Amino acid sequence: MGNSYAGQLKSAQFEEALHNSIEASLRCSSVVPRPIFSQLYLDPDQHPFSSADVKPKVEDLDKDLVHRYTQNGSLDFSNNLTVNEMEDDEDDEEMSDSNSPPIPYSQKPAPEGSCTTDGFCQAGKDLRLVSLCMEQIDIPAGFLLVGAKSPNLPEHILVCAVDKRFLPDDHGKNALLGFSGNCIGCGERGFRYFTEFSNHINLKLTTQPKKQKHLKYYLVRSSQGVLSKGPLICWKECRSRQSSATCHSMKPNSSVSSTVTPENGTANGYKSGFIQTDAANGNSSHGGKSSASSSTPARPGNYSLSPRPSYASGDQATMFISGPPKKRHRGWYPGSPVPQPGLVVPVPTVRPLSRSESLLSAPVPQTPLTGILQPRPIPAGETVIVPENLLTNSGVRPVILIGYGTLPYFYGNVGDIVVSPLLVNCYKIPQLENKDLEHLGLTGSQLLSVENMILLTIQYLVRLGQHQSRALAESMLTTSEFLKEISYELITGKVSFLASHFKTTSLGDDLDKLLDKMQQRRGESVVTPFNGDLHECVSAQEAAAMIPTQNLDLDIETFQIYQPQLTVARKLLSQVCAIADSGSQSLDLGHFSKVDFIIIVPRSEVLVQQTLQRIRQSGVLVDLGLEENGTAYQRAEKYVVRLDNEIQTKFEVFMRRVKQNPYTLFVLVHDNSHVELTSVISGSLSHGEPSHGLADRVINCREVLEAFNLLVLQVSSFPYTLQTQQSRISSSNEVHWIQLDNMEDMSCEEKLYFGLNEYSKSLQWGITSPLLRCDETFEKMVNTLLERYPRLHSMVVRCYLLIQQYSEALMALTTMASLRDHSTPETLSIMDDLISSPGKTRSGRGHMLIIRVPSVQLAMLAKERLQEVRDKLGLQYRFEIILGNPASELSVATHFVARLKTWRGNEPEEWTPRTYQDLEGLPCIVILTGKDPLGETFPRSLKYCDLRLIDSSYLTRTALEQEVGLACCYVSKEVIRGPAVALDLSGKEQERATTSENDSDELLIDLERPQSNSSAVTGTSGSIMENGVSSSSAADRSQKLSLTPSFQSPANSMGLDEGVSAGTGGAGETLKQECDSLGPQMASSTTSKPSSSSSSSSSGPRALSWPGQLPQGCRGLHAALPPIVILSKAAYSLLGSQRGGKPPASSSLLPHADVAWVSSLRPLLHKDMSSEEQSLYYRQWTSARQHHADFSNQPDPASGARACHPRRLLLTGPPQVGKTGSYLQFLRILFRMLIRLLEVDVYDEGEINADHSECSGVSQAEGEPWPDIESFSKMPFDVSVHDPKYSLMSLVYTEKLAGVKQEAIKDSKVEEPRKRGTVSMMLTKYAAYNTFHHCEQCHQYMDCTSASQMSDSTLHAFTFSSSMLGEEVQLYFIIPKSKESHFVFSKQGKHLESMRLPLVSDKNLNAVKSPIFTPSSGRHEHGLLNLFHAMEGISHLHLLVVKEYEMPLYRKYWPNHIMLVLPGMFNNAGVGAARFLIKELSYHNLELERNRLEELGVKRQCVWPFIVVMDDSCVLWNIHSVQDQTSQPMEAGVSSKNVSLKSVLQHIEATPKIIHYAILGIQKWSSKLTSQSLKAPFSRCHVHDFILLNIDLTQNVQYDFNRYFCEDVDFNLRTNSSGLLICRFNNFSLMKKHVQVGGQRDFIIKPKIMVSESLAPILPLQYVCAPDSEHTLLAAPAQFLLEKFLQHASYKLFPKAIHNFKSPVLAIDCYLNIGPEVAICYISSRPHSSNVNCEGVFFSGLLLYLCDSFVGADLLKKFKFLKGATLCVICQDRSSLRQTIVRLELEDEWQFRLRDEFQTANSSDDKPLYFLTGRHV
């Protein structure tokens, strides 16, 4: 690692990068460390260092010390103890000269009754420092307070007073033998033996007591008077090696190389190192057991060995210790210079584990790894000297990486070294259960011990060698840091040597002079701009004036939304709906009527312009109603904001709009949200970057989080930094781009996405010009230069080389062919293509080349240099060079702008290109600079993307992938051929293997084969590159093109010379006709022609053709093709797809620099992981670093739950896939949906069977508010049904009907249910709502305030007897606490007695009197059961009538509603049963209330007898009035106004003499309502869906509880025939919502016993069968089957009645639908009933349905029948059928046959209905 970094790289991430690198290496399956530790000796390169480069900042290191190590959990200094202090020193062995084992020691038992507690003396007094630190302790003169350590209390120090004569002096000498001490606990004095004293203070030693071993520290008082631990008592003089006669010369110890690796990775070159005291007998001892080391530039944050802060309290303790070396250190050499006395500081180490096995649960054999040298440990407590000249010699501060075991003491210039636990922390793997291991695909036995892992790591690190270690050093820096480093190198002139190297060409000529000479030779002329050879010159004026042909088929991207974008927009919308429906109250969509937005983008001027362009082209501002059509273009700018210093003011304006418009839903789109996601508070780490923390300040500010009308949509191609454990976005709120798994999805699209995966897979296609390339020649040149310039950042070196490569390629292609051999073939072919393509056509179109140079200074340098070369070569009109700097707008020369305008056609005069897409077709080099690419879109003409500068600084997944993301685009579908595996988007390798032999080699891309192409290889066989890129002639490419892309099957051999293997075929590949590397042998690309003689048209490598290279005059296909990407070697190896189905290596990199892995042991990402699965993976395994904006979003300590913001979404999709278009479309459909939420589809159908001519004279005058009972009762009842929902129903016979022409009734096909007409209406404040509506006003009405309230509803049984059912009926009420006031309960308990009813005379404007019953089924969510707004919030009694099995669902969604639960026997019943029970219950309740109120003195007839029965789809109510007729004879208009249900009910309830009406209702709304239909304000006719029912008057008229259809028509006819009044208010109308679910839906008719799943549908005529036949029995209610059968069986049952309305079918006491072709004459059998006049009518049939005793033979004899009329008698069972035939004497007039008996197709336990048919005799 080049030592030039010392002091310049000012951040604290060396150890972390090392940590990541080691970890990655251990996880990498392909690296096998060489098993020899001799590799530790690296190649002895030396480089001089100057101390001027070294700027260690020791004070910076100290600042971060405690924070850093307590943060990352490696060392906790909270007790102010270094780890060496925590551990016992080595045993007594170190005080003796022998290495014999310690002598076991048995302690004398304590005297009887004395205290033996640790930390207390035998007298029971506390000796612990923590207890005594504030005490004033008196000690005799000459005594000192010292700290003793007890082995049983490692965390405590015991305080003792000891005579200082028996303690050593400052130099570790002069201590008297023996001991004298006092106990400061009990005050006992005069202990003369340390053994005796140790017993007294309960040290409980297991070894011989020695003062040297157990008296550890001096105790000192701070200025505050606190007694605390001071310096160590230095018993051993060997700790400081002062000079003595026996000292030997200091020789670099061989172990130095292993433990100290200076910065560039080579240790042997430096005469420096640690001198280890354990080097006796000349044996070198490796420090592998205790420490492995590397080195770093001095940077803040590393642990520094300067004195510990804790020593600074009280007296500043200095610790100089001197003394002669002990005799065992005889390996020292005489005459060594001795370092000055330094500071001895115990180094923090990692506590050794208590057991020797692996950190994981399974034991691992501890045998050494084969071939690995086991280093000898340095004994703990030994001393290692840091030489004074270490820093001077090495130029860096070495980092000692703590390995395994205990570190020695360091002495000397300890400030020059850094100790770090990061290495050993890599291996701190948590205890894992076996199931966790299985999840990771491991077994315990596979895991190495920590020691072996560290040894392997050291080997791996050592193998890195120089360039890799330099790469490692560079990869540690954040992008900002390495850009600063480059900037520093350029500013300080460190690059001057490199710059001067490149002043000469590769041939040794002075470059500038050479260029000047060429310019002079050319004179004033320049190379022709287009449509001409490079040798053709024109004057500058002529060149500027040349106008290209207008390219009419120019592929300018027009903005349109494609299918995948629509799909994703819908996914976003459904996620927003899911948030609204989640019940978390975080989003109320019903609240909003408008959508507004702001888009926040990173600091890129081009991106701002690009986003503005998309907004303008999409028309979204006008669609959302935000701007007028004329002004939208200018006003677009306020909707896009750049994250720069001005954002605060713009954002405040936006937030003001949010606050001021509560009914507008705002969407804050944060595009490219992964960029600069740093936290505001980590400003200290920002190094003053202007954009630091801005996104955090905006996106995560309190106003944004709390605004209920603001959605945040974060959009990113690389969302990994948003997917950590601390993510603020719920994983369920992520919307991922759709997986384009198969071509069928895309069949309608003309273009297909070509992204990172496709690039990676393209490497296996095996064609001559791969899409992803590595320029090996360039890499070799780079390596040579890097060795020569070790102090420069590799990007600087690469950039200078790249500039030279492009400059020389330009020269080689124009004037100096001799330079060809010195340009890499890759560079030469790119430049050749770039400058020759404009010359081929009169349009002058060409290609774009992007050169990515992240450093702005380097980019400016590159632009200036290349521009200078271009201009001096006269190419300034041939192609443009543009600096793509995010901070500034595009700057393009005027003559190129003129050319662009010509191509585009109708641009205004002042037009200039604002985005890269505007440069479509312009031959140009874009030098793209800036820290990150920011999502800019490039034109189709982008052909080359040069990423050779993107190297080791880009080792995170985001950094690397976003660079290649520049080239991602959509490619033409014509390019991609074949089945669903085209481009192998599905990744299914097997499908290829199964294809037939002929097509097994077929490429999946249309390849244009040159007619003659072997010369492409033979001419240049020497230049086939190592990476398989063959070189080719660029000559006359136009000749090689076939004009129609053809797909020919290749020959078995690809016909290539050596170097390209024929077996590499796969799928097709990119496109140029020319192969891309021109060989050095070729003197000129313009002279060599392909030789047709040596060619074979059926073989040869294929290449794809780019547009714009066709012969002049031929307009070829403008195929959009993927650009070619040239990568550095490092990037190429990471992005290349690995064989064996593994994902590219880049996917296993750390996902983003702002996150860290949670654990080093984790499963790998696998190939087939969807982006959803990857998100969950990163959310589990990564966490935000401290400077990340999400770092503060830590989990709640109690629950462990993290706060995800409920209104925040994340849209992720690959780069350039179309996310902007998608979210603009989302805004559009979100607005449409809000409008739709404010709209409702209501039925809009005109009345049927209308005949306005029959206005009888007795009708009332217009404008009367209520009917007059006298005149109303004289009106005839209109028996015809006018409700359009009954258009397919049998007509009810009237005398008028007899005159209707039969042809007029259309015979409509009843098989297909017709679509009923609907119209969309705006909801008003008076609408009824379903469960999806939430608002402030009605949420009390809708929801429980707490979960407990669900249980507050009580269940009450209510029993009554029903004469119709002939049994007692038990219903259940569920009554919420809040609604109990509507009921009467018994005094004793909670027995439900009745439901309160008001009085007829009550006049309360804030209530309606009638209880409202709503039967509902299957519509717990969609039923319009929220009447709060419809009732204007007033008090009302509303009961939901539900089936027993649906009760839990309705109760869940409508917890505040009263439920009436029908008995279980009605679970399969139709709507008739619900209406029957409502009416029966209500009458029973009326009687109970009359009895109750009678006791209170109220007359029985004064109790209110009405109930409202309304459908669950009634949504709006209207009032109509006829406007005054104008003078013209035109029809008068109708004015309508929306009114509330309350006002409708209150108006009807106020009808005079209301109790004389049986049923009151209103008409159905229709847009066709005319003044004619309102002429009569009241009608006496059928009413439906919404009725006031007088349960007193209708006591004896029942709903037919068996019925599924037409129960209301049947009931109305029965009511009318009983002489009761039915009144319809025509000035009110009801709108019914078209609800698509639930309600009166048909049963799905299935066989009772399923034989097979796939049965043909069962037809209605199969719903009945002959009794006892083998017919398929059905699982459906008998009544339902009967009614459905009758609807379709009129042709069979009543053939004479078809279209014969003069002769209807006679139906007694019932109305059943027997098909629209038939009319039914309804006759009531009851005495005194009013019936239609049917004198003289001959009936075509007779229908008797479950007839009762009122129907007798006499009644039937009154009616006349046609000859051949038919009869149908329906009964409950066979016996009652026969009894009925006999009782009614039917056999007298009707003829029956045995085979005319039928039953519904039910099994006997389902109680089939039976019927008999017969013919009139």
Side-chain angles (χ1 to χ4, degrees), residues 131-139 145 184 221-222 224-227:
S131 316
L132 300 172
C133 61
M134 303 303 289
E135 302 275 329
Q136 287 304 317
I137 302 167
D138 293 322
I139 50 169
L145 289 179
I184 58 106
R221 278 206 191 276
S222 69
Q224 289 82 31
V226 179
L227 189 66

Side-chain angles (χ1 to χ4, degrees), residues 922-957:
L922 185 71
C924 60
I925 297 176
V926 174
I927 296 169
L928 190 65
T929 186
K931 191 170 149 184
D932 305 284
L934 297 173
E936 299 94 343
T937 304
F938 288 89
R940 291 272 165 79
S941 56
L942 169 63
K943 185 169 180 182
Y944 299 102
C945 207
D946 189 335
L947 304 180
R948 284 181 276 188
L949 264 59
I950 303 303
D951 196 47
S952 49
S953 301
Y954 285 78
L955 292 184
T956 64
R957 184 174 181 186

Side-chain angles (χ1 to χ4, degrees), residues 1218-1334:
K1219 294 184 291 298
T1220 307
S1222 199
Y1223 67 67
L1224 292 176
Q1225 175 66 10
F1226 157 69
L1227 294 172
R1228 199 185 266 109
I1229 61 175
L1230 174 64
F1231 176 58
R1232 274 190 219 143
M1233 185 193 73
L1234 294 185
I1235 296 301
R1236 287 294 292 127
L1237 285 178
L1238 300 174
E1239 288 178 346
V1240 60
D1241 286 334
V1242 299
Y1243 290 112
D1244 180 17
E1245 301 162 307
E1247 288 200 336
I1248 56 169
N1249 309 324
D1251 179 14
H1252 297 302
S1253 62
E1254 61 148 304
C1255 287
S1256 58
V1258 289
S1259 73
Q1260 281 179 253
E1262 288 175 40
E1264 288 287 322
W1266 291 287
D1268 171 59
I1269 189 92
E1270 299 300 322
S1271 53
F1272 186 79
S1273 56
K1274 291 175 185 156
M1275 288 170 66
F1277 180 74
D1278 178 5
V1279 294
S1280 294
V1281 178
H1282 299 298
D1283 192 315
K1285 73 176 176 185
Y1286 289 132
S1287 60
L1288 294 181
M1289 213 177 73
S1290 304
L1291 301 171
V1292 183
Y1293 175 79
T1294 66
E1295 291 166 80
K1296 285 201 170 58
L1297 192 65
V1300 173
K1301 280 192 180 171
Q1302 292 148 20
E1303 294 74 43
I1305 305 291
K1306 292 191 180 73
D1307 179 13
S1308 64
K1309 262 287 176 66
V1310 289
E1311 305 309 325
E1312 306 131 24
R1314 77 199 162 89
K1315 192 170 186 321
R1316 295 181 59 191
T1318 59
V1319 66
S1320 196
M1321 301 295 287
M1322 286 300 286
L1323 286 168
T1324 68
K1325 60 181 177 180
Y1326 298 132
Y1329 288 100
N1330 58 24
T1331 186
F1332 298 105
H1333 168 80
H1334 309 274

